[in-house]
Amino acid sequence: MKQDIFQAISDPTRRAILTLIAIQPLTPNTMAEKFDMTRQAVSKHIKVLHECELIKPARNGREIYYHFNAKKMQEFDNWLAQFRQSWEIQFNQLDELLSTIKEQKK
C-alpha cells in the first residue's frame, strides 16, 4: 500500500530521518545509531518514507544508502504554496488588527 506524504511527515522520527539524510545519504544501520531504537524500527520508518517517495535507495557495494528526494519534497512545497499566500494575507490582517487594538489601549 502506498503511503501518504502527510502520514509520512507527521511522525517526528521520520522528519528527523529526512533531516539527517538531507545532509548526507545514510545506511539504515547508521540511522539506527542516531536514534534510541532498533534497526527494525528504523526500517519501518524507512519503508514509509520510501513508499511515499521522500527517500530513494542506492546500492553501494553491499550497503544501501538512502538519499533525500528533494524533487518529491518540492512537489509537496508547490502544493502548499497555493495556501501560503492566503495565510500570509490573513496573518497580515491579524497583525493590523492587533496593532489597532494596541494603539486604542494607549
Side-chain angles (χ1 to χ4, degrees):
M1 174 174 79
K2 185 166 173 130
Q3 296 291 327
D4 181 84
I5 194 169
F6 295 102
Q7 178 187 5
I9 64 173
S10 69
D11 185 276
T13 301
R14 289 192 285 268
R15 288 192 309 267
I17 289 171
L18 288 172
T19 301
L20 285 173
I21 66 171
I23 297 167
Q24 71 179 35
L26 297 173
T27 65
N29 287 333
T30 305
M31 286 184 229
E33 292 171 3
K34 308 278 185 192
F35 299 96
D36 187 23
M37 64 179 62
T38 65
R39 162 73 164 75
Q40 291 78 18
V42 169
S43 290
K44 289 181 182 181
H45 289 295
I46 289 171
K47 180 180 177 188
V48 171
L49 292 169
H50 181 250
E51 286 177 355
C52 66
E53 301 173 355
L54 287 171
I55 62 175
K56 293 180 180 179
R59 187 169 290 280
N60 186 358
R62 293 176 45 188
E63 296 285 347
I64 296 176
Y65 285 83
Y66 285 91
H67 298 259
F68 182 72
N69 184 2
K71 186 176 183 179
K72 186 67 173 184
M73 194 56 88
Q74 183 64 49
E75 290 174 19
F76 179 67
D77 185 56
N78 291 343
W79 180 82
L80 280 176
Q82 63 186 327
F83 303 104
R84 194 171 289 124
Q85 183 179 10
S86 174
W87 297 334
E88 288 175 4
I89 291 169
Q90 291 176 356
F91 286 137
N92 288 338
Q93 290 172 344
L94 179 60
D95 283 343
E96 291 173 16
L97 177 63
L98 293 174
S99 293
T100 301
I101 292 171
K102 187 176 178 181
E103 288 298 319
Q104 290 175 351
K105 288 188 176 187
K106 285 184 180 180

Short mmCIF file of all heavy atoms in Angstrom, two decimals, residues 16-79:
data_model
loop_
_atom_site.label_atom_id
_atom_site.label_comp_id
_atom_site.label_asym_id
_atom_site.label_seq_id
_atom_site.Cartn_x
_atom_site.Cartn_y
_atom_site.Cartn_z
N ALA A 16 12.92 13.60 11.46
CA ALA A 16 14.34 13.62 11.86
C ALA A 16 15.19 12.82 10.87
O ALA A 16 16.31 13.25 10.52
CB ALA A 16 14.50 13.06 13.27
N ILE A 17 14.68 11.69 10.40
CA ILE A 17 15.40 10.91 9.40
C ILE A 17 15.58 11.74 8.13
O ILE A 17 16.66 11.78 7.54
CB ILE A 17 14.68 9.58 9.10
CG1 ILE A 17 14.81 8.64 10.30
CG2 ILE A 17 15.22 8.93 7.83
CD1 ILE A 17 13.95 7.39 10.21
N LEU A 18 14.53 12.41 7.69
CA LEU A 18 14.63 13.26 6.50
C LEU A 18 15.68 14.35 6.68
O LEU A 18 16.45 14.65 5.77
CB LEU A 18 13.28 13.88 6.16
CG LEU A 18 12.22 12.94 5.60
CD1 LEU A 18 10.88 13.64 5.49
CD2 LEU A 18 12.66 12.39 4.25
N THR A 19 15.71 14.94 7.86
CA THR A 19 16.70 15.98 8.15
C THR A 19 18.11 15.42 8.07
O THR A 19 19.00 16.06 7.49
CB THR A 19 16.45 16.59 9.54
OG1 THR A 19 15.13 17.15 9.57
CG2 THR A 19 17.45 17.67 9.87
N LEU A 20 18.31 14.24 8.63
CA LEU A 20 19.64 13.62 8.59
C LEU A 20 20.09 13.31 7.17
O LEU A 20 21.23 13.62 6.80
CB LEU A 20 19.64 12.32 9.40
CG LEU A 20 19.65 12.45 10.92
CD1 LEU A 20 19.47 11.08 11.56
CD2 LEU A 20 20.96 13.08 11.37
N ILE A 21 19.22 12.69 6.39
CA ILE A 21 19.67 12.29 5.06
C ILE A 21 19.62 13.45 4.06
O ILE A 21 20.16 13.32 2.96
CB ILE A 21 18.92 11.04 4.53
CG1 ILE A 21 17.46 11.31 4.30
CG2 ILE A 21 19.16 9.86 5.43
CD1 ILE A 21 16.76 10.18 3.57
N ALA A 22 19.02 14.56 4.43
CA ALA A 22 19.10 15.75 3.57
C ALA A 22 20.53 16.28 3.58
O ALA A 22 20.98 16.89 2.61
CB ALA A 22 18.13 16.82 4.03
N ILE A 23 21.24 16.01 4.66
CA ILE A 23 22.64 16.45 4.79
C ILE A 23 23.57 15.50 4.05
O ILE A 23 24.47 15.93 3.34
CB ILE A 23 23.03 16.56 6.28
CG1 ILE A 23 22.17 17.63 6.95
CG2 ILE A 23 24.51 16.87 6.44
CD1 ILE A 23 22.24 17.62 8.46
N GLN A 24 23.34 14.19 4.25
CA GLN A 24 24.16 13.17 3.57
C GLN A 24 23.41 11.85 3.54
O GLN A 24 22.65 11.55 4.46
CB GLN A 24 25.50 13.00 4.25
CG GLN A 24 25.42 12.31 5.61
CD GLN A 24 26.79 12.14 6.24
OE1 GLN A 24 27.64 12.99 6.07
NE2 GLN A 24 26.99 11.05 6.94
N PRO A 25 23.60 11.07 2.49
CA PRO A 25 22.97 9.74 2.43
C PRO A 25 23.47 8.86 3.57
O PRO A 25 24.64 8.93 3.95
CB PRO A 25 23.43 9.19 1.07
CG PRO A 25 23.87 10.37 0.29
CD PRO A 25 24.37 11.37 1.28
N LEU A 26 22.58 8.05 4.12
CA LEU A 26 22.93 7.17 5.24
C LEU A 26 22.39 5.77 5.02
O LEU A 26 21.38 5.58 4.34
CB LEU A 26 22.36 7.72 6.55
CG LEU A 26 22.87 9.08 7.03
CD1 LEU A 26 22.08 9.53 8.25
CD2 LEU A 26 24.35 9.03 7.35
N THR A 27 23.03 4.82 5.65
CA THR A 27 22.54 3.45 5.67
C THR A 27 21.55 3.30 6.82
O THR A 27 21.58 4.10 7.77
CB THR A 27 23.69 2.44 5.88
OG1 THR A 27 24.24 2.65 7.18
CG2 THR A 27 24.76 2.57 4.82
N PRO A 28 20.70 2.29 6.77
CA PRO A 28 19.78 2.06 7.89
C PRO A 28 20.51 1.86 9.23
O PRO A 28 20.05 2.35 10.27
CB PRO A 28 19.03 0.80 7.48
CG PRO A 28 19.04 0.85 5.99
CD PRO A 28 20.39 1.41 5.64
N ASN A 29 21.64 1.17 9.21
CA ASN A 29 22.39 0.97 10.46
C ASN A 29 22.89 2.29 11.03
O ASN A 29 22.83 2.51 12.24
CB ASN A 29 23.57 0.02 10.24
CG ASN A 29 23.12 -1.41 10.08
OD1 ASN A 29 22.07 -1.82 10.58
ND2 ASN A 29 23.91 -2.19 9.36
N THR A 30 23.38 3.16 10.17
CA THR A 30 23.85 4.47 10.62
C THR A 30 22.69 5.28 11.18
O THR A 30 22.84 5.96 12.20
CB THR A 30 24.54 5.23 9.47
OG1 THR A 30 25.58 4.41 8.94
CG2 THR A 30 25.13 6.53 9.94
N MET A 31 21.54 5.21 10.52
CA MET A 31 20.36 5.92 11.03
C MET A 31 19.96 5.40 12.40
O MET A 31 19.65 6.18 13.30
CB MET A 31 19.19 5.76 10.06
CG MET A 31 19.30 6.56 8.80
SD MET A 31 17.80 6.36 7.81
CE MET A 31 18.51 5.99 6.24
N ALA A 32 19.98 4.09 12.56
CA ALA A 32 19.58 3.48 13.84
C ALA A 32 20.49 3.94 14.97
O ALA A 32 20.03 4.11 16.11
CB ALA A 32 19.58 1.96 13.73
N GLU A 33 21.76 4.17 14.68
CA GLU A 33 22.70 4.65 15.70
C GLU A 33 22.34 6.05 16.19
O GLU A 33 22.68 6.43 17.30
CB GLU A 33 24.12 4.65 15.14
CG GLU A 33 24.68 3.28 14.88
CD GLU A 33 26.00 3.31 14.12
OE1 GLU A 33 26.52 4.41 13.84
OE2 GLU A 33 26.50 2.21 13.79
N LYS A 34 21.66 6.81 15.36
CA LYS A 34 21.31 8.20 15.70
C LYS A 34 20.07 8.28 16.59
O LYS A 34 19.75 9.34 17.12
CB LYS A 34 21.06 9.01 14.43
CG LYS A 34 22.15 8.95 13.40
CD LYS A 34 23.25 9.90 13.72
CE LYS A 34 24.26 9.88 12.57
NZ LYS A 34 25.48 10.55 12.91
N PHE A 35 19.33 7.17 16.69
CA PHE A 35 18.08 7.15 17.44
C PHE A 35 18.13 6.07 18.50
O PHE A 35 18.89 5.12 18.40
CB PHE A 35 16.89 6.88 16.49
CG PHE A 35 16.73 7.91 15.43
CD1 PHE A 35 17.25 7.72 14.17
CD2 PHE A 35 16.05 9.09 15.70
CE1 PHE A 35 17.12 8.68 13.17
CE2 PHE A 35 15.91 10.06 14.71
CZ PHE A 35 16.44 9.85 13.45
N ASP A 36 17.31 6.22 19.49
CA ASP A 36 17.21 5.22 20.55
C ASP A 36 16.14 4.20 20.15
O ASP A 36 15.08 4.13 20.76
CB ASP A 36 16.85 5.90 21.88
CG ASP A 36 16.90 4.94 23.05
OD1 ASP A 36 17.60 3.91 22.94
OD2 ASP A 36 16.22 5.21 24.06
N MET A 37 16.45 3.46 19.09
CA MET A 37 15.52 2.44 18.61
C MET A 37 16.29 1.37 17.85
O MET A 37 17.45 1.57 17.49
CB MET A 37 14.42 3.04 17.74
CG MET A 37 14.87 3.68 16.46
SD MET A 37 13.53 4.35 15.45
CE MET A 37 12.86 5.57 16.51
N THR A 38 15.64 0.27 17.62
CA THR A 38 16.27 -0.84 16.92
C THR A 38 16.38 -0.57 15.43
O THR A 38 15.68 0.29 14.88
CB THR A 38 15.48 -2.14 17.13
OG1 THR A 38 14.20 -1.99 16.50
CG2 THR A 38 15.32 -2.47 18.61
N ARG A 39 17.21 -1.35 14.79
CA ARG A 39 17.36 -1.27 13.33
C ARG A 39 16.03 -1.59 12.65
O ARG A 39 15.66 -1.00 11.64
CB ARG A 39 18.48 -2.24 12.91
CG ARG A 39 18.53 -2.64 11.46
CD ARG A 39 19.02 -1.52 10.57
NE ARG A 39 19.43 -1.99 9.26
CZ ARG A 39 18.61 -2.36 8.29
NH1 ARG A 39 17.32 -2.38 8.46
NH2 ARG A 39 19.08 -2.73 7.12
N GLN A 40 15.29 -2.55 13.23
CA GLN A 40 14.00 -2.93 12.66
C GLN A 40 13.00 -1.78 12.73
O GLN A 40 12.22 -1.56 11.81
CB GLN A 40 13.43 -4.16 13.37
CG GLN A 40 14.19 -5.44 13.11
CD GLN A 40 15.51 -5.54 13.91
OE1 GLN A 40 15.69 -4.83 14.89
NE2 GLN A 40 16.40 -6.40 13.48
N ALA A 41 13.01 -1.04 13.84
CA ALA A 41 12.10 0.10 13.97
C ALA A 41 12.44 1.18 12.95
O ALA A 41 11.55 1.77 12.33
CB ALA A 41 12.16 0.66 15.39
N VAL A 42 13.73 1.43 12.77
CA VAL A 42 14.16 2.41 11.76
C VAL A 42 13.74 1.94 10.37
O VAL A 42 13.29 2.73 9.55
CB VAL A 42 15.68 2.66 11.85
CG1 VAL A 42 16.18 3.45 10.65
CG2 VAL A 42 16.03 3.39 13.13
N SER A 43 13.85 0.64 10.13
CA SER A 43 13.46 0.10 8.81
C SER A 43 11.99 0.34 8.52
O SER A 43 11.63 0.60 7.37
CB SER A 43 13.76 -1.40 8.76
OG SER A 43 15.15 -1.62 8.72
N LYS A 44 11.15 0.28 9.53
CA LYS A 44 9.72 0.57 9.31
C LYS A 44 9.52 2.02 8.90
O LYS A 44 8.71 2.32 8.03
CB LYS A 44 8.92 0.23 10.57
CG LYS A 44 8.81 -1.25 10.82
CD LYS A 44 7.99 -1.54 12.04
CE LYS A 44 7.93 -3.05 12.29
NZ LYS A 44 7.12 -3.37 13.46
N HIS A 45 10.26 2.93 9.53
CA HIS A 45 10.17 4.34 9.17
C HIS A 45 10.70 4.56 7.75
O HIS A 45 10.12 5.30 6.96
CB HIS A 45 10.95 5.21 10.15
CG HIS A 45 10.31 5.32 11.50
ND1 HIS A 45 9.09 5.93 11.70
CD2 HIS A 45 10.72 4.89 12.71
CE1 HIS A 45 8.78 5.88 12.97
NE2 HIS A 45 9.75 5.24 13.62
N ILE A 46 11.79 3.89 7.42
CA ILE A 46 12.37 3.99 6.08
C ILE A 46 11.36 3.50 5.04
O ILE A 46 11.20 4.12 3.99
CB ILE A 46 13.68 3.18 5.99
CG1 ILE A 46 14.77 3.87 6.80
CG2 ILE A 46 14.11 2.98 4.55
CD1 ILE A 46 16.03 3.04 6.97
N LYS A 47 10.67 2.42 5.35
CA LYS A 47 9.69 1.87 4.42
C LYS A 47 8.60 2.89 4.09
O LYS A 47 8.23 3.10 2.94
CB LYS A 47 9.06 0.60 5.00
CG LYS A 47 8.04 -0.03 4.09
CD LYS A 47 7.45 -1.28 4.72
CE LYS A 47 6.37 -1.83 3.78
NZ LYS A 47 5.63 -2.91 4.37
N VAL A 48 8.10 3.57 5.12
CA VAL A 48 7.05 4.58 4.92
C VAL A 48 7.59 5.72 4.05
O VAL A 48 6.94 6.15 3.10
CB VAL A 48 6.53 5.12 6.27
CG1 VAL A 48 5.61 6.31 6.07
CG2 VAL A 48 5.83 4.01 7.04
N LEU A 49 8.79 6.20 4.38
CA LEU A 49 9.38 7.31 3.61
C LEU A 49 9.66 6.91 2.16
O LEU A 49 9.47 7.70 1.25
CB LEU A 49 10.67 7.78 4.29
CG LEU A 49 10.49 8.46 5.65
CD1 LEU A 49 11.84 8.64 6.33
CD2 LEU A 49 9.76 9.77 5.52
N HIS A 50 10.09 5.67 1.97
CA HIS A 50 10.37 5.18 0.62
C HIS A 50 9.08 5.02 -0.18
O HIS A 50 9.02 5.37 -1.36
CB HIS A 50 11.14 3.86 0.70
CG HIS A 50 11.50 3.31 -0.64
ND1 HIS A 50 10.90 2.18 -1.14
CD2 HIS A 50 12.36 3.75 -1.59
CE1 HIS A 50 11.40 1.94 -2.33
NE2 HIS A 50 12.28 2.87 -2.63
N GLU A 51 8.04 4.50 0.45
CA GLU A 51 6.77 4.28 -0.25
C GLU A 51 6.14 5.58 -0.73
O GLU A 51 5.46 5.59 -1.74
CB GLU A 51 5.80 3.49 0.62
CG GLU A 51 6.18 2.04 0.75
CD GLU A 51 5.25 1.26 1.67
OE1 GLU A 51 4.36 1.87 2.31
OE2 GLU A 51 5.44 0.04 1.76
N CYS A 52 6.37 6.66 -0.02
CA CYS A 52 5.81 7.94 -0.48
C CYS A 52 6.86 8.75 -1.26
O CYS A 52 6.64 9.92 -1.55
CB CYS A 52 5.20 8.73 0.66
SG CYS A 52 6.37 9.29 1.88
N GLU A 53 7.97 8.09 -1.57
CA GLU A 53 9.00 8.62 -2.46
C GLU A 53 9.75 9.83 -1.91
O GLU A 53 10.32 10.62 -2.68
CB GLU A 53 8.41 8.94 -3.84
CG GLU A 53 7.79 7.74 -4.51
CD GLU A 53 7.07 8.08 -5.79
OE1 GLU A 53 6.95 9.27 -6.14
OE2 GLU A 53 6.61 7.13 -6.46
N LEU A 54 9.80 9.97 -0.59
CA LEU A 54 10.58 11.06 0.00
C LEU A 54 12.06 10.70 0.09
O LEU A 54 12.90 11.59 0.23
CB LEU A 54 10.05 11.42 1.39
CG LEU A 54 8.73 12.17 1.39
CD1 LEU A 54 8.17 12.29 2.79
CD2 LEU A 54 8.90 13.55 0.76
N ILE A 55 12.36 9.41 0.04
CA ILE A 55 13.75 8.97 0.03
C ILE A 55 13.92 7.93 -1.08
O ILE A 55 12.96 7.29 -1.50
CB ILE A 55 14.20 8.39 1.39
CG1 ILE A 55 13.40 7.15 1.77
CG2 ILE A 55 14.12 9.44 2.47
CD1 ILE A 55 13.89 6.47 3.04
N LYS A 56 15.17 7.81 -1.54
CA LYS A 56 15.49 6.85 -2.61
C LYS A 56 16.68 6.00 -2.17
O LYS A 56 17.67 6.54 -1.67
CB LYS A 56 15.90 7.58 -3.88
CG LYS A 56 14.81 8.37 -4.54
CD LYS A 56 15.38 9.03 -5.79
CE LYS A 56 14.35 9.85 -6.50
NZ LYS A 56 14.93 10.49 -7.70
N PRO A 57 16.59 4.68 -2.38
CA PRO A 57 17.73 3.83 -2.05
C PRO A 57 18.73 3.80 -3.20
O PRO A 57 18.37 3.91 -4.37
CB PRO A 57 17.09 2.45 -1.85
CG PRO A 57 15.90 2.48 -2.74
CD PRO A 57 15.42 3.91 -2.76
N ALA A 58 20.01 3.65 -2.84
CA ALA A 58 21.06 3.47 -3.84
C ALA A 58 22.07 2.49 -3.26
O ALA A 58 22.58 2.69 -2.16
CB ALA A 58 21.73 4.80 -4.16
N ARG A 59 22.31 1.43 -4.00
CA ARG A 59 23.24 0.40 -3.53
C ARG A 59 24.67 0.85 -3.81
O ARG A 59 25.00 1.33 -4.89
CB ARG A 59 22.96 -0.92 -4.21
CG ARG A 59 23.77 -2.08 -3.66
CD ARG A 59 23.29 -3.40 -4.16
NE ARG A 59 22.00 -3.81 -3.65
CZ ARG A 59 21.79 -4.35 -2.44
NH1 ARG A 59 22.79 -4.52 -1.63
NH2 ARG A 59 20.58 -4.71 -2.08
N ASN A 60 25.52 0.68 -2.81
CA ASN A 60 26.95 0.95 -2.93
C ASN A 60 27.67 -0.25 -2.35
O ASN A 60 27.81 -0.35 -1.13
CB ASN A 60 27.33 2.24 -2.21
CG ASN A 60 28.78 2.63 -2.44
OD1 ASN A 60 29.53 1.93 -3.11
ND2 ASN A 60 29.17 3.75 -1.88
N GLY A 61 28.04 -1.18 -3.20
CA GLY A 61 28.62 -2.43 -2.70
C GLY A 61 27.54 -3.24 -2.01
O GLY A 61 26.47 -3.48 -2.57
N ARG A 62 27.80 -3.64 -0.79
CA ARG A 62 26.83 -4.41 -0.02
C ARG A 62 25.87 -3.53 0.77
O ARG A 62 24.89 -4.02 1.34
CB ARG A 62 27.57 -5.34 0.94
CG ARG A 62 28.34 -6.43 0.20
CD ARG A 62 29.15 -7.30 1.11
NE ARG A 62 28.40 -7.72 2.28
CZ ARG A 62 28.92 -8.37 3.31
NH1 ARG A 62 30.19 -8.68 3.31
NH2 ARG A 62 28.18 -8.71 4.33
N GLU A 63 26.15 -2.25 0.83
CA GLU A 63 25.33 -1.33 1.62
C GLU A 63 24.28 -0.63 0.76
O GLU A 63 24.51 -0.38 -0.42
CB GLU A 63 26.21 -0.26 2.27
CG GLU A 63 27.20 -0.79 3.28
CD GLU A 63 26.56 -1.17 4.60
OE1 GLU A 63 25.39 -0.80 4.85
OE2 GLU A 63 27.23 -1.85 5.38
N ILE A 64 23.17 -0.31 1.39
CA ILE A 64 22.14 0.51 0.74
C ILE A 64 22.14 1.86 1.46
O ILE A 64 21.97 1.92 2.67
CB ILE A 64 20.75 -0.13 0.83
CG1 ILE A 64 20.74 -1.45 0.06
CG2 ILE A 64 19.69 0.82 0.28
CD1 ILE A 64 19.44 -2.21 0.16
N TYR A 65 22.35 2.90 0.69
CA TYR A 65 22.31 4.25 1.22
C TYR A 65 20.99 4.89 0.79
O TYR A 65 20.58 4.75 -0.36
CB TYR A 65 23.48 5.09 0.68
CG TYR A 65 24.79 4.74 1.33
CD1 TYR A 65 25.54 3.66 0.89
CD2 TYR A 65 25.27 5.49 2.40
CE1 TYR A 65 26.75 3.33 1.50
CE2 TYR A 65 26.47 5.17 3.01
CZ TYR A 65 27.20 4.09 2.55
OH TYR A 65 28.38 3.77 3.15
N TYR A 66 20.38 5.60 1.71
CA TYR A 66 19.13 6.30 1.39
C TYR A 66 19.43 7.78 1.20
O TYR A 66 20.11 8.41 2.00
CB TYR A 66 18.10 6.08 2.50
CG TYR A 66 17.52 4.69 2.41
CD1 TYR A 66 18.09 3.64 3.11
CD2 TYR A 66 16.44 4.43 1.59
CE1 TYR A 66 17.58 2.36 3.00
CE2 TYR A 66 15.92 3.15 1.47
CZ TYR A 66 16.50 2.12 2.18
OH TYR A 66 16.00 0.85 2.06
N HIS A 67 18.91 8.30 0.09
CA HIS A 67 19.10 9.69 -0.29
C HIS A 67 17.77 10.43 -0.16
O HIS A 67 16.71 9.88 -0.44
CB HIS A 67 19.56 9.78 -1.75
CG HIS A 67 20.87 9.12 -2.01
ND1 HIS A 67 22.03 9.82 -2.12
CD2 HIS A 67 21.20 7.81 -2.16
CE1 HIS A 67 23.03 8.98 -2.34
NE2 HIS A 67 22.53 7.76 -2.37
N PHE A 68 17.85 11.68 0.19
CA PHE A 68 16.69 12.57 0.26
C PHE A 68 16.22 12.88 -1.15
O PHE A 68 17.02 13.21 -2.02
CB PHE A 68 17.10 13.85 0.99
CG PHE A 68 15.99 14.83 1.17
CD1 PHE A 68 14.97 14.59 2.06
CD2 PHE A 68 15.98 16.01 0.45
CE1 PHE A 68 13.95 15.52 2.24
CE2 PHE A 68 14.97 16.94 0.62
CZ PHE A 68 13.96 16.68 1.51
N ASN A 69 14.93 12.77 -1.40
CA ASN A 69 14.36 13.07 -2.71
C ASN A 69 13.79 14.49 -2.69
O ASN A 69 12.61 14.70 -2.42
CB ASN A 69 13.28 12.04 -3.08
CG ASN A 69 12.75 12.25 -4.48
OD1 ASN A 69 13.20 13.14 -5.21
ND2 ASN A 69 11.79 11.44 -4.86
N ALA A 70 14.65 15.44 -2.98
CA ALA A 70 14.25 16.85 -2.93
C ALA A 70 13.15 17.15 -3.95
O ALA A 70 12.30 18.02 -3.72
CB ALA A 70 15.45 17.74 -3.18
N LYS A 71 13.14 16.43 -5.07
CA LYS A 71 12.13 16.67 -6.10
C LYS A 71 10.72 16.38 -5.56
O LYS A 71 9.79 17.14 -5.80
CB LYS A 71 12.42 15.79 -7.32
CG LYS A 71 11.53 16.05 -8.49
CD LYS A 71 11.95 15.23 -9.70
CE LYS A 71 11.08 15.57 -10.89
NZ LYS A 71 11.48 14.80 -12.09
N LYS A 72 10.58 15.30 -4.80
CA LYS A 72 9.27 14.97 -4.22
C LYS A 72 8.87 16.02 -3.18
O LYS A 72 7.71 16.43 -3.10
CB LYS A 72 9.31 13.57 -3.60
CG LYS A 72 7.97 13.09 -3.12
CD LYS A 72 7.02 12.87 -4.29
CE LYS A 72 5.74 12.23 -3.85
NZ LYS A 72 4.86 11.92 -4.96
N MET A 73 9.83 16.47 -2.39
CA MET A 73 9.53 17.49 -1.39
C MET A 73 9.15 18.80 -2.07
O MET A 73 8.29 19.53 -1.59
CB MET A 73 10.72 17.68 -0.45
CG MET A 73 10.38 18.48 0.79
SD MET A 73 9.02 17.79 1.77
CE MET A 73 9.90 16.69 2.81
N GLN A 74 9.76 19.08 -3.23
CA GLN A 74 9.41 20.27 -3.99
C GLN A 74 7.97 20.20 -4.47
O GLN A 74 7.24 21.20 -4.45
CB GLN A 74 10.36 20.47 -5.18
CG GLN A 74 10.09 21.73 -5.97
CD GLN A 74 10.32 22.99 -5.18
OE1 GLN A 74 11.36 23.14 -4.54
NE2 GLN A 74 9.37 23.89 -5.19
N GLU A 75 7.53 19.02 -4.90
CA GLU A 75 6.13 18.84 -5.30
C GLU A 75 5.20 19.17 -4.13
O GLU A 75 4.18 19.83 -4.31
CB GLU A 75 5.87 17.39 -5.73
CG GLU A 75 6.50 16.99 -7.02
CD GLU A 75 6.32 15.51 -7.32
OE1 GLU A 75 5.41 14.87 -6.73
OE2 GLU A 75 7.08 14.98 -8.15
N PHE A 76 5.57 18.72 -2.94
CA PHE A 76 4.78 18.99 -1.75
C PHE A 76 4.78 20.49 -1.44
O PHE A 76 3.74 21.08 -1.14
CB PHE A 76 5.35 18.18 -0.57
CG PHE A 76 4.63 18.39 0.72
CD1 PHE A 76 3.32 17.96 0.87
CD2 PHE A 76 5.25 19.01 1.78
CE1 PHE A 76 2.66 18.14 2.07
CE2 PHE A 76 4.59 19.20 2.98
CZ PHE A 76 3.29 18.76 3.12
N ASP A 77 5.94 21.12 -1.55
CA ASP A 77 6.04 22.56 -1.30
C ASP A 77 5.23 23.36 -2.31
O ASP A 77 4.57 24.34 -1.95
CB ASP A 77 7.51 23.00 -1.33
CG ASP A 77 7.66 24.46 -0.95
OD1 ASP A 77 7.19 24.84 0.15
OD2 ASP A 77 8.23 25.23 -1.75
N ASN A 78 5.24 22.92 -3.57
CA ASN A 78 4.43 23.60 -4.59
C ASN A 78 2.95 23.51 -4.26
O ASN A 78 2.19 24.46 -4.48
CB ASN A 78 4.70 23.00 -5.97
CG ASN A 78 6.08 23.31 -6.49
OD1 ASN A 78 6.76 24.21 -6.01
ND2 ASN A 78 6.52 22.54 -7.46
N TRP A 79 2.53 22.37 -3.75
CA TRP A 79 1.13 22.22 -3.36
C TRP A 79 0.80 23.16 -2.20
O TRP A 79 -0.24 23.81 -2.19
CB TRP A 79 0.85 20.76 -2.97
CG TRP A 79 -0.56 20.53 -2.56
CD1 TRP A 79 -1.63 20.33 -3.37
CD2 TRP A 79 -1.06 20.48 -1.22
NE1 TRP A 79 -2.77 20.16 -2.63
CE2 TRP A 79 -2.45 20.26 -1.30
CE3 TRP A 79 -0.47 20.62 0.03
CZ2 TRP A 79 -3.25 20.16 -0.18
CZ3 TRP A 79 -1.27 20.53 1.16
CH2 TRP A 79 -2.65 20.28 1.04
#
